[in-house]
Amino acid sequence: MTLGGYRTTVSHPATSSHYDMPRDERLKLGISDGLLRVSVGIENINDLIEDFKNALTVYDV
């Protein structure tokens, strides 16, 4: 993950930015174990939509 990058990134705060915070404290802040953070870059929106559709189909979500 890069701060200030131009590409779209997806992160899992529970195991990245907030990994050292106790679970009960994370939950009080709304950071659940299933939360994903998407930082949208400058890619073409239609490409991003297709990428997310493909990812959700592959993982049957």
Side-chain angles (χ1 to χ4, degrees), residues 15-45:
T15 58
S16 60
S17 58
H18 293 77
Y19 74 94
D20 60 348
M21 182 179 284
R23 185 173 188 270
D24 59 327
E25 289 183 36
R26 280 191 295 104
L27 292 175
K28 287 179 189 175
L29 295 173
I31 304 169
S32 67
D33 293 339
L35 178 72
L36 294 176
R37 179 176 188 259
V38 178
S39 297
V40 178
I42 61 171
E43 296 94 346
N44 179 286
I45 189 64

